[in-house]
């Protein structure tokens, strides 16, 4: 066990699968009461996590979910805005509805859930809001203007909200996962050469694991991270460290 979240309520959006599910699992092992929000729950939730169906793009759905958590537990200590979708397509060809859907989930959903938990956190004089950005917020990919722009918006939203909530001791941070194979990106299904090309951009030259993100989030949610706010923290295996990290591997294999 890394950190003990006994008596704390942690709400994780998009926790029905992928990274969100691992985050939920991790917090349950740290003794938190975990509330998982998602459109659907294809698998049983980990531990004694509680699932609430919630569409983060729908104000009524968000209000109902947060009101259910509030009336059941009377507190929300941590909100993790993990829900997100990936929308691909060159700008020239992109269906405007797809662009809108991307911003609806990735940005509007983060806004709605954050807004919904603020009164409770203010009343408590503490709280943690942690938002999923992406390395695409810093270095976007060709054909991913909507996704990159939406994640950059999450970063700016995070910075502003961090300052707005500073007086109440509530911290707001964003994280930028690197390449973690999930249903969203299909990295694991790429041909080997394609996988190698992507991994060659990382100092640690391995795919990220959902647990790598969960580890960071446990720390950011803890009292130990009380002086970190408005930050974008990358958990990407060194995606931003150098231009050609594969050179180090060529050097290392030559040295053996
Ligand atoms: P995923 O597609 O496996 O999971 C996303 C979850 O969000 C799903 O369970 C989905 O149902 C839920 N969701 C989508 N729309 C929703 C809505 N309207 N309301 C409620 N829930 C909704 O994706 P993932 O790879 O686990 O990604 C999780 C987060 O991490 C996303 O925000 C993503 O942008 C970010 N991220 C992932 C990677 C990666 O490599 N996997 C990299 C950078 C950032």
């Amino acid at each position: 066990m890394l950190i003990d979240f006994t008596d704390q309520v942690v709400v994780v959006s998009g926790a029905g699968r992928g990274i969100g599910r691992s985050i939920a699992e991790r917090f349950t092992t740290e003794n938190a009461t975990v509330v998982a929000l998602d459109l659907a729950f294809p698998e049983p939730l980990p531990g004694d996590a509680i699932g609430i169906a919630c569409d983060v793009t729908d104000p009524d759905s968000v209000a109902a979910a947060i009101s259910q958590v509030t009336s059941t537990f009377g507190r929300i200590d941590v909100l993790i805005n993990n829900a997100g979708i990936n929308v691909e397509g060159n700008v020239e060809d992109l269906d405007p509805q797809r662009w809108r859907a991307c911003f609806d989930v990735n940005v509007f959903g983060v806004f709605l859930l954050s807004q919904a938990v603020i009164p409770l956190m203010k009343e408590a004089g503490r709280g943690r809001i942690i938002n999923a950005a992406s390395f695409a917020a810093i270095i976007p990919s060709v054909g991913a203007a909507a996704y990159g722009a939406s994640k950059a918006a999450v970063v700016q939203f995070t910075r502003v909200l961090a300052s707005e909530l500073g007086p109440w001791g509530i911290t707001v941070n964003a994280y930028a996962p690197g390449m973690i194979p999930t249903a969203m990106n299909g990295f694991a299904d790429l041909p080997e050469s394609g996988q190698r090309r992507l991994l060659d951009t990382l100092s640690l030259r391995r795919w990220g694991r959902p647990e790598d993100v969960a580890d960071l989030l446990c720390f950011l949610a803890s009292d130990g991270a009380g002086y970190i706010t408005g930050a974008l923290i990358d958990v990407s295996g060194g995606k931003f460290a150098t231009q050609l990290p594969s050179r180090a591997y060529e050097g290392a294999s030559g040295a053996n």
Side-chain angles (χ1 to χ4, degrees):
M1 184 180 292
L2 189 66
I3 296 157
D4 188 16
F5 289 95
T6 301
D7 295 331
Q8 295 203 29
V9 176
V10 178
V11 174
V12 187
S13 71
R17 70 171 196 199
I19 300 172
R21 194 177 185 286
S22 289
I23 295 167
E25 184 169 9
R26 180 55 189 277
F27 276 95
T28 59
T29 64
E30 307 290 348
N31 294 332
T33 298
V34 174
V35 179
L37 308 180
D38 210 315
L39 297 171
F41 297 95
E43 296 170 44
L45 284 167
D48 44 15
I50 296 142
I52 300 179
C54 174
D55 178 349
V56 299
T57 69
D58 175 358
D60 293 338
S61 179
V62 167
I66 295 304
S67 138
Q68 189 178 332
V69 181
T70 308
S71 60
T72 310
F73 302 109
R75 60 190 290 166
I76 294 174
D77 299 275
V78 181
L79 167 67
I80 298 174
N81 280 308
N82 161 80
I85 60 169
N86 185 22
V87 165
E88 290 181 352
N90 286 356
V91 171
E92 188 179 2
D93 309 316
L94 189 62
D95 177 347
Q97 292 309 324
R98 296 292 298 148
W99 174 282
R100 188 167 276 168
C102 188
F103 269 71
D104 267 357
V105 180
N106 296 0
V107 189
F108 189 53
V110 172
F111 157 72
L112 282 178
L113 267 173
S114 302
Q115 191 180 51
V117 303
I118 287 171
L120 208 56
M121 288 188 177
K122 271 189 170 178
E123 208 179 297
R126 64 193 298 275
R128 300 272 187 267
I129 298 175
I130 310 174
N131 302 324
S134 167
F135 64 89
I138 304 161
I139 308 181
S141 302
V142 171
Y147 184 75
S150 74
K151 292 299 187 178
V154 169
V155 175
Q156 297 297 44
F157 171 83
T158 300
R159 291 174 174 152
V160 175
L161 190 59
S163 292
E164 289 182 1
L165 299 182
W168 286 269
I170 301 163
T171 67
V172 188
N173 290 292
Y175 57 99
M179 294 182 280
I180 300 173
T182 62
M184 172 183 277
N185 51 44
F187 288 145
D189 303 323
L190 290 171
E192 208 186 312
S193 57
Q195 293 197 26
R196 208 175 320 117
R197 207 175 59 231
L198 290 175
L199 291 174
D200 272 349
T201 66
L202 305 178
S203 300
L204 295 180
R205 215 190 220 180
R206 70 159 171 85
W207 295 125
R209 295 183 285 251
E211 295 77 13
D212 295 322
V213 174
D215 280 342
L216 170 67
L217 298 195
C218 273
F219 170 64
L220 283 178
S222 74
D223 289 345
Y227 202 55
I228 302 172
T229 198
L232 170 64
I233 299 177
D234 92 89
V235 49
S236 69
K239 177 83 183 165
F240 307 107
T242 54
Q243 294 188 33
L244 294 169
S246 58
R247 280 193 183 165
Y249 286 84
E250 288 155 20
S253 65
N256 287 332

mmCIF file of all heavy atoms in Angstrom, residues 49-91:
data_model
loop_
_atom_site.group_PDB
_atom_site.id
_atom_site.type_symbol
_atom_site.label_atom_id
_atom_site.label_comp_id
_atom_site.label_asym_id
_atom_site.label_seq_id
_atom_site.Cartn_x
_atom_site.Cartn_y
_atom_site.Cartn_z
ATOM 1 N N ALA A 49 -16.070 -0.918 -5.282
ATOM 2 C CA ALA A 49 -16.375 0.339 -5.988
ATOM 3 C C ALA A 49 -17.843 0.353 -6.394
ATOM 4 O O ALA A 49 -18.421 -0.681 -6.719
ATOM 5 C CB ALA A 49 -15.488 0.479 -7.220
ATOM 6 N N ILE A 50 -18.399 1.549 -6.363
ATOM 7 C CA ILE A 50 -19.819 1.717 -6.695
ATOM 8 C C ILE A 50 -19.910 2.348 -8.080
ATOM 9 O O ILE A 50 -19.238 3.343 -8.352
ATOM 10 C CB ILE A 50 -20.476 2.652 -5.661
ATOM 11 C CG1 ILE A 50 -20.426 1.979 -4.291
ATOM 12 C CG2 ILE A 50 -21.893 3.027 -6.033
ATOM 13 C CD1 ILE A 50 -20.160 2.952 -3.185
ATOM 14 N N GLY A 51 -20.733 1.772 -8.935
ATOM 15 C CA GLY A 51 -20.880 2.315 -10.286
ATOM 16 C C GLY A 51 -22.149 3.136 -10.417
ATOM 17 O O GLY A 51 -23.212 2.724 -9.959
ATOM 18 N N ILE A 52 -22.022 4.293 -11.019
ATOM 19 C CA ILE A 52 -23.214 5.115 -11.313
ATOM 20 C C ILE A 52 -23.177 5.444 -12.802
ATOM 21 O O ILE A 52 -22.173 5.990 -13.295
ATOM 22 C CB ILE A 52 -23.235 6.421 -10.491
ATOM 23 C CG1 ILE A 52 -23.240 6.130 -8.992
ATOM 24 C CG2 ILE A 52 -24.443 7.269 -10.870
ATOM 25 C CD1 ILE A 52 -23.241 7.382 -8.108
ATOM 26 N N ALA A 53 -24.259 5.125 -13.505
ATOM 27 C CA ALA A 53 -24.314 5.466 -14.927
ATOM 28 C C ALA A 53 -24.382 6.986 -15.056
ATOM 29 O O ALA A 53 -25.216 7.634 -14.414
ATOM 30 C CB ALA A 53 -25.545 4.823 -15.558
ATOM 31 N N CYS A 54 -23.493 7.526 -15.852
ATOM 32 C CA CYS A 54 -23.428 8.991 -15.981
ATOM 33 C C CYS A 54 -22.809 9.351 -17.324
ATOM 34 O O CYS A 54 -21.752 8.836 -17.681
ATOM 35 C CB CYS A 54 -22.581 9.570 -14.832
ATOM 36 S SG CYS A 54 -22.278 11.341 -14.961
ATOM 37 N N ASP A 55 -23.494 10.229 -18.028
ATOM 38 C CA ASP A 55 -22.930 10.778 -19.258
ATOM 39 C C ASP A 55 -22.349 12.144 -18.899
ATOM 40 O O ASP A 55 -23.100 13.078 -18.580
ATOM 41 C CB ASP A 55 -24.043 10.910 -20.311
ATOM 42 C CG ASP A 55 -23.530 11.516 -21.615
ATOM 43 O OD1 ASP A 55 -22.390 12.027 -21.647
ATOM 44 O OD2 ASP A 55 -24.296 11.486 -22.601
ATOM 45 N N VAL A 56 -21.031 12.249 -18.953
ATOM 46 C CA VAL A 56 -20.395 13.482 -18.472
ATOM 47 C C VAL A 56 -20.718 14.698 -19.345
ATOM 48 O O VAL A 56 -20.440 15.830 -18.954
ATOM 49 C CB VAL A 56 -18.854 13.339 -18.334
ATOM 50 C CG1 VAL A 56 -18.489 12.249 -17.340
ATOM 51 C CG2 VAL A 56 -18.188 13.122 -19.687
ATOM 52 N N THR A 57 -21.293 14.463 -20.511
ATOM 53 C CA THR A 57 -21.635 15.595 -21.380
ATOM 54 C C THR A 57 -23.027 16.144 -21.098
ATOM 55 O O THR A 57 -23.435 17.133 -21.702
ATOM 56 C CB THR A 57 -21.591 15.183 -22.874
ATOM 57 O OG1 THR A 57 -22.679 14.287 -23.144
ATOM 58 C CG2 THR A 57 -20.285 14.511 -23.226
ATOM 59 N N ASP A 58 -23.758 15.477 -20.201
ATOM 60 C CA ASP A 58 -25.157 15.845 -19.951
ATOM 61 C C ASP A 58 -25.279 16.479 -18.555
ATOM 62 O O ASP A 58 -25.111 15.801 -17.537
ATOM 63 C CB ASP A 58 -26.004 14.569 -20.062
ATOM 64 C CG ASP A 58 -27.463 14.813 -19.688
ATOM 65 O OD1 ASP A 58 -27.813 15.952 -19.310
ATOM 66 O OD2 ASP A 58 -28.245 13.848 -19.769
ATOM 67 N N PRO A 59 -25.589 17.778 -18.498
ATOM 68 C CA PRO A 59 -25.652 18.456 -17.193
ATOM 69 C C PRO A 59 -26.575 17.768 -16.194
ATOM 70 O O PRO A 59 -26.247 17.653 -15.011
ATOM 71 C CB PRO A 59 -26.155 19.859 -17.543
ATOM 72 C CG PRO A 59 -25.767 20.067 -18.973
ATOM 73 C CD PRO A 59 -25.826 18.716 -19.625
ATOM 74 N N ASP A 60 -27.726 17.268 -16.661
ATOM 75 C CA ASP A 60 -28.662 16.618 -15.728
ATOM 76 C C ASP A 60 -28.083 15.321 -15.188
ATOM 77 O O ASP A 60 -28.232 15.000 -13.999
ATOM 78 C CB ASP A 60 -30.007 16.324 -16.428
ATOM 79 C CG ASP A 60 -30.736 17.610 -16.778
ATOM 80 O OD1 ASP A 60 -30.447 18.641 -16.142
ATOM 81 O OD2 ASP A 60 -31.566 17.585 -17.709
ATOM 82 N N SER A 61 -27.441 14.574 -16.072
ATOM 83 C CA SER A 61 -26.848 13.300 -15.673
ATOM 84 C C SER A 61 -25.727 13.527 -14.652
ATOM 85 O O SER A 61 -25.626 12.821 -13.637
ATOM 86 C CB SER A 61 -26.312 12.602 -16.937
ATOM 87 O OG SER A 61 -25.725 11.394 -16.641
ATOM 88 N N VAL A 62 -24.907 14.537 -14.882
ATOM 89 C CA VAL A 62 -23.817 14.856 -13.950
ATOM 90 C C VAL A 62 -24.386 15.319 -12.610
ATOM 91 O O VAL A 62 -23.956 14.858 -11.542
ATOM 92 C CB VAL A 62 -22.880 15.938 -14.561
ATOM 93 C CG1 VAL A 62 -21.940 16.514 -13.514
ATOM 94 C CG2 VAL A 62 -22.091 15.339 -15.726
ATOM 95 N N ALA A 63 -25.381 16.193 -12.675
ATOM 96 C CA ALA A 63 -25.977 16.693 -11.423
ATOM 97 C C ALA A 63 -26.577 15.545 -10.621
ATOM 98 O O ALA A 63 -26.407 15.463 -9.394
ATOM 99 C CB ALA A 63 -27.033 17.745 -11.741
ATOM 100 N N ALA A 64 -27.267 14.624 -11.318
ATOM 101 C CA ALA A 64 -27.900 13.500 -10.613
ATOM 102 C C ALA A 64 -26.842 12.596 -9.980
ATOM 103 O O ALA A 64 -26.991 12.144 -8.828
ATOM 104 C CB ALA A 64 -28.766 12.697 -11.586
ATOM 105 N N ALA A 65 -25.768 12.330 -10.704
ATOM 106 C CA ALA A 65 -24.717 11.438 -10.179
ATOM 107 C C ALA A 65 -24.056 12.054 -8.949
ATOM 108 O O ALA A 65 -23.882 11.391 -7.918
ATOM 109 C CB ALA A 65 -23.677 11.151 -11.266
ATOM 110 N N ILE A 66 -23.708 13.336 -9.044
ATOM 111 C CA ILE A 66 -23.010 13.967 -7.918
ATOM 112 C C ILE A 66 -23.959 14.125 -6.731
ATOM 113 O O ILE A 66 -23.562 13.948 -5.572
ATOM 114 C CB ILE A 66 -22.388 15.323 -8.349
ATOM 115 C CG1 ILE A 66 -21.290 15.069 -9.389
ATOM 116 C CG2 ILE A 66 -21.831 16.089 -7.147
ATOM 117 C CD1 ILE A 66 -20.180 14.104 -8.961
ATOM 118 N N SER A 67 -25.230 14.367 -7.015
ATOM 119 C CA SER A 67 -26.176 14.470 -5.900
ATOM 120 C C SER A 67 -26.346 13.109 -5.220
ATOM 121 O O SER A 67 -26.461 13.026 -3.994
ATOM 122 C CB SER A 67 -27.468 15.074 -6.440
ATOM 123 O OG SER A 67 -28.571 14.455 -5.953
ATOM 124 N N GLN A 68 -26.309 12.033 -6.010
ATOM 125 C CA GLN A 68 -26.391 10.685 -5.401
ATOM 126 C C GLN A 68 -25.170 10.412 -4.498
ATOM 127 O O GLN A 68 -25.309 9.895 -3.393
ATOM 128 C CB GLN A 68 -26.464 9.630 -6.517
ATOM 129 C CG GLN A 68 -26.767 8.243 -5.990
ATOM 130 C CD GLN A 68 -26.890 7.202 -7.122
ATOM 131 O OE1 GLN A 68 -27.254 7.529 -8.246
ATOM 132 N NE2 GLN A 68 -26.563 5.959 -6.803
ATOM 133 N N VAL A 69 -23.995 10.803 -4.974
ATOM 134 C CA VAL A 69 -22.782 10.594 -4.162
ATOM 135 C C VAL A 69 -22.875 11.431 -2.886
ATOM 136 O O VAL A 69 -22.580 10.956 -1.783
ATOM 137 C CB VAL A 69 -21.500 10.997 -4.945
ATOM 138 C CG1 VAL A 69 -20.250 10.746 -4.097
ATOM 139 C CG2 VAL A 69 -21.395 10.238 -6.257
ATOM 140 N N THR A 70 -23.304 12.672 -3.051
ATOM 141 C CA THR A 70 -23.376 13.576 -1.901
ATOM 142 C C THR A 70 -24.370 13.078 -0.859
ATOM 143 O O THR A 70 -24.082 13.064 0.336
ATOM 144 C CB THR A 70 -23.794 14.988 -2.367
ATOM 145 O OG1 THR A 70 -22.930 15.364 -3.429
ATOM 146 C CG2 THR A 70 -23.651 15.999 -1.259
ATOM 147 N N SER A 71 -25.551 12.635 -1.332
ATOM 148 C CA SER A 71 -26.548 12.203 -0.337
ATOM 149 C C SER A 71 -26.134 10.884 0.306
ATOM 150 O O SER A 71 -26.469 10.622 1.454
ATOM 151 C CB SER A 71 -27.939 12.120 -0.961
ATOM 152 O OG SER A 71 -27.918 11.202 -2.018
ATOM 153 N N THR A 72 -25.370 10.066 -0.404
ATOM 154 C CA THR A 72 -24.955 8.786 0.177
ATOM 155 C C THR A 72 -23.776 8.969 1.137
ATOM 156 O O THR A 72 -23.757 8.392 2.222
ATOM 157 C CB THR A 72 -24.535 7.792 -0.945
ATOM 158 O OG1 THR A 72 -25.554 7.766 -1.935
ATOM 159 C CG2 THR A 72 -24.325 6.388 -0.400
ATOM 160 N N PHE A 73 -22.804 9.744 0.736
ATOM 161 C CA PHE A 73 -21.551 9.807 1.517
ATOM 162 C C PHE A 73 -21.303 11.160 2.191
ATOM 163 O O PHE A 73 -20.460 11.259 3.084
ATOM 164 C CB PHE A 73 -20.347 9.468 0.626
ATOM 165 C CG PHE A 73 -20.455 8.106 -0.016
ATOM 166 C CD1 PHE A 73 -20.691 7.974 -1.374
ATOM 167 C CD2 PHE A 73 -20.334 6.958 0.751
ATOM 168 C CE1 PHE A 73 -20.807 6.723 -1.953
ATOM 169 C CE2 PHE A 73 -20.444 5.701 0.169
ATOM 170 C CZ PHE A 73 -20.689 5.582 -1.192
ATOM 171 N N GLY A 74 -21.946 12.197 1.690
ATOM 172 C CA GLY A 74 -21.781 13.517 2.309
ATOM 173 C C GLY A 74 -20.444 14.174 2.043
ATOM 174 O O GLY A 74 -20.145 15.228 2.607
ATOM 175 N N ARG A 75 -19.632 13.572 1.172
ATOM 176 C CA ARG A 75 -18.326 14.183 0.888
ATOM 177 C C ARG A 75 -17.765 13.665 -0.437
ATOM 178 O O ARG A 75 -18.084 12.560 -0.862
ATOM 179 C CB ARG A 75 -17.330 13.889 2.005
ATOM 180 C CG ARG A 75 -17.078 12.385 2.203
ATOM 181 C CD ARG A 75 -16.281 12.103 3.454
ATOM 182 N NE ARG A 75 -14.889 12.547 3.324
ATOM 183 C CZ ARG A 75 -14.057 12.658 4.358
ATOM 184 N NH1 ARG A 75 -14.476 12.357 5.585
ATOM 185 N NH2 ARG A 75 -12.822 13.055 4.169
ATOM 186 N N ILE A 76 -16.971 14.487 -1.066
ATOM 187 C CA ILE A 76 -16.168 14.048 -2.219
ATOM 188 C C ILE A 76 -14.787 14.649 -2.000
ATOM 189 O O ILE A 76 -14.627 15.868 -1.973
ATOM 190 C CB ILE A 76 -16.771 14.523 -3.562
ATOM 191 C CG1 ILE A 76 -18.129 13.835 -3.804
ATOM 192 C CG2 ILE A 76 -15.813 14.204 -4.719
ATOM 193 C CD1 ILE A 76 -18.874 14.340 -5.035
ATOM 194 N N ASP A 77 -13.827 13.788 -1.787
ATOM 195 C CA ASP A 77 -12.468 14.261 -1.514
ATOM 196 C C ASP A 77 -11.653 14.434 -2.790
ATOM 197 O O ASP A 77 -10.808 15.323 -2.876
ATOM 198 C CB ASP A 77 -11.764 13.265 -0.584
ATOM 199 C CG ASP A 77 -12.495 13.154 0.741
ATOM 200 O OD1 ASP A 77 -12.236 13.985 1.628
ATOM 201 O OD2 ASP A 77 -13.370 12.263 0.872
ATOM 202 N N VAL A 78 -11.911 13.546 -3.736
ATOM 203 C CA VAL A 78 -11.086 13.531 -4.953
ATOM 204 C C VAL A 78 -12.000 13.331 -6.161
ATOM 205 O O VAL A 78 -12.852 12.430 -6.149
ATOM 206 C CB VAL A 78 -10.055 12.373 -4.907
ATOM 207 C CG1 VAL A 78 -9.186 12.376 -6.163
ATOM 208 C CG2 VAL A 78 -9.204 12.428 -3.648
ATOM 209 N N LEU A 79 -11.821 14.169 -7.164
ATOM 210 C CA LEU A 79 -12.499 13.951 -8.455
ATOM 211 C C LEU A 79 -11.431 13.714 -9.507
ATOM 212 O O LEU A 79 -10.531 14.541 -9.679
ATOM 213 C CB LEU A 79 -13.330 15.179 -8.846
ATOM 214 C CG LEU A 79 -13.812 15.177 -10.309
ATOM 215 C CD1 LEU A 79 -14.833 14.052 -10.558
ATOM 216 C CD2 LEU A 79 -14.418 16.526 -10.694
ATOM 217 N N ILE A 80 -11.537 12.591 -10.187
ATOM 218 C CA ILE A 80 -10.618 12.325 -11.288
ATOM 219 C C ILE A 80 -11.406 12.339 -12.591
ATOM 220 O O ILE A 80 -12.251 11.474 -12.841
ATOM 221 C CB ILE A 80 -9.879 10.986 -11.084
ATOM 222 C CG1 ILE A 80 -9.050 11.076 -9.801
ATOM 223 C CG2 ILE A 80 -8.987 10.694 -12.292
ATOM 224 C CD1 ILE A 80 -8.383 9.806 -9.388
ATOM 225 N N ASN A 81 -11.156 13.366 -13.388
ATOM 226 C CA ASN A 81 -11.825 13.514 -14.678
ATOM 227 C C ASN A 81 -11.047 12.729 -15.716
ATOM 228 O O ASN A 81 -10.228 13.273 -16.461
ATOM 229 C CB ASN A 81 -11.888 15.003 -15.054
ATOM 230 C CG ASN A 81 -13.000 15.738 -14.362
ATOM 231 O OD1 ASN A 81 -14.156 15.313 -14.403
ATOM 232 N ND2 ASN A 81 -12.671 16.854 -13.708
ATOM 233 N N ASN A 82 -11.316 11.420 -15.746
ATOM 234 C CA ASN A 82 -10.582 10.539 -16.663
ATOM 235 C C ASN A 82 -11.318 10.311 -17.985
ATOM 236 O O ASN A 82 -10.687 10.033 -19.001
ATOM 237 C CB ASN A 82 -10.343 9.198 -15.955
ATOM 238 C CG ASN A 82 -10.028 8.078 -16.934
ATOM 239 O OD1 ASN A 82 -8.897 7.942 -17.406
ATOM 240 N ND2 ASN A 82 -11.030 7.265 -17.272
ATOM 241 N N ALA A 83 -12.655 10.420 -17.978
ATOM 242 C CA ALA A 83 -13.421 10.083 -19.191
ATOM 243 C C ALA A 83 -12.922 10.902 -20.375
ATOM 244 O O ALA A 83 -12.671 12.103 -20.257
ATOM 245 C CB ALA A 83 -14.913 10.339 -18.968
ATOM 246 N N GLY A 84 -12.753 10.243 -21.496
ATOM 247 C CA GLY A 84 -12.298 10.959 -22.682
ATOM 248 C C GLY A 84 -12.533 10.123 -23.916
ATOM 249 O O GLY A 84 -12.699 8.907 -23.831
ATOM 250 N N ILE A 85 -12.605 10.789 -25.053
ATOM 251 C CA ILE A 85 -12.684 10.040 -26.312
ATOM 252 C C ILE A 85 -11.628 10.573 -27.271
ATOM 253 O O ILE A 85 -11.183 11.719 -27.160
ATOM 254 C CB ILE A 85 -14.083 10.122 -26.979
ATOM 255 C CG1 ILE A 85 -14.473 11.565 -27.321
ATOM 256 C CG2 ILE A 85 -15.141 9.451 -26.115
ATOM 257 C CD1 ILE A 85 -15.717 11.659 -28.212
ATOM 258 N N ASN A 86 -11.249 9.708 -28.189
ATOM 259 C CA ASN A 86 -10.280 10.074 -29.205
ATOM 260 C C ASN A 86 -11.027 10.259 -30.519
ATOM 261 O O ASN A 86 -11.814 9.400 -30.898
ATOM 262 C CB ASN A 86 -9.254 8.951 -29.349
ATOM 263 C CG ASN A 86 -8.144 9.305 -30.306
ATOM 264 O OD1 ASN A 86 -7.882 10.482 -30.556
ATOM 265 N ND2 ASN A 86 -7.494 8.302 -30.862
ATOM 266 N N VAL A 87 -10.807 11.376 -31.162
ATOM 267 C CA VAL A 87 -11.448 11.619 -32.458
ATOM 268 C C VAL A 87 -10.339 11.887 -33.463
ATOM 269 O O VAL A 87 -9.485 12.734 -33.235
ATOM 270 C CB VAL A 87 -12.413 12.818 -32.346
ATOM 271 C CG1 VAL A 87 -12.806 13.330 -33.720
ATOM 272 C CG2 VAL A 87 -13.654 12.420 -31.556
ATOM 273 N N GLU A 88 -10.360 11.123 -34.551
ATOM 274 C CA GLU A 88 -9.302 11.279 -35.553
ATOM 275 C C GLU A 88 -9.874 11.731 -36.878
ATOM 276 O O GLU A 88 -11.028 11.433 -37.183
ATOM 277 C CB GLU A 88 -8.549 9.954 -35.722
ATOM 278 C CG GLU A 88 -7.707 9.639 -34.504
ATOM 279 C CD GLU A 88 -6.926 8.344 -34.638
ATOM 280 O OE1 GLU A 88 -7.156 7.608 -35.610
ATOM 281 O OE2 GLU A 88 -6.103 8.090 -33.757
ATOM 282 N N GLY A 89 -9.055 12.373 -37.645
ATOM 283 C CA GLY A 89 -9.461 12.813 -38.979
ATOM 284 C C GLY A 89 -8.842 14.157 -39.284
ATOM 285 O O GLY A 89 -8.819 15.040 -38.427
ATOM 286 N N ASN A 90 -8.299 14.275 -40.492
ATOM 287 C CA ASN A 90 -7.737 15.558 -40.893
ATOM 288 C C ASN A 90 -8.820 16.628 -40.881
ATOM 289 O O ASN A 90 -9.989 16.341 -41.167
ATOM 290 C CB ASN A 90 -7.141 15.458 -42.305
ATOM 291 C CG ASN A 90 -5.831 14.699 -42.303
ATOM 292 O OD1 ASN A 90 -5.332 14.305 -41.246
ATOM 293 N ND2 ASN A 90 -5.275 14.482 -43.477
ATOM 294 N N VAL A 91 -8.421 17.828 -40.558
ATOM 295 C CA VAL A 91 -9.379 18.923 -40.392
ATOM 296 C C VAL A 91 -10.298 19.041 -41.619
ATOM 297 O O VAL A 91 -11.521 19.198 -41.491
ATOM 298 C CB VAL A 91 -8.626 20.245 -40.144
ATOM 299 C CG1 VAL A 91 -9.583 21.430 -40.184
ATOM 300 C CG2 VAL A 91 -7.892 20.192 -38.803
#
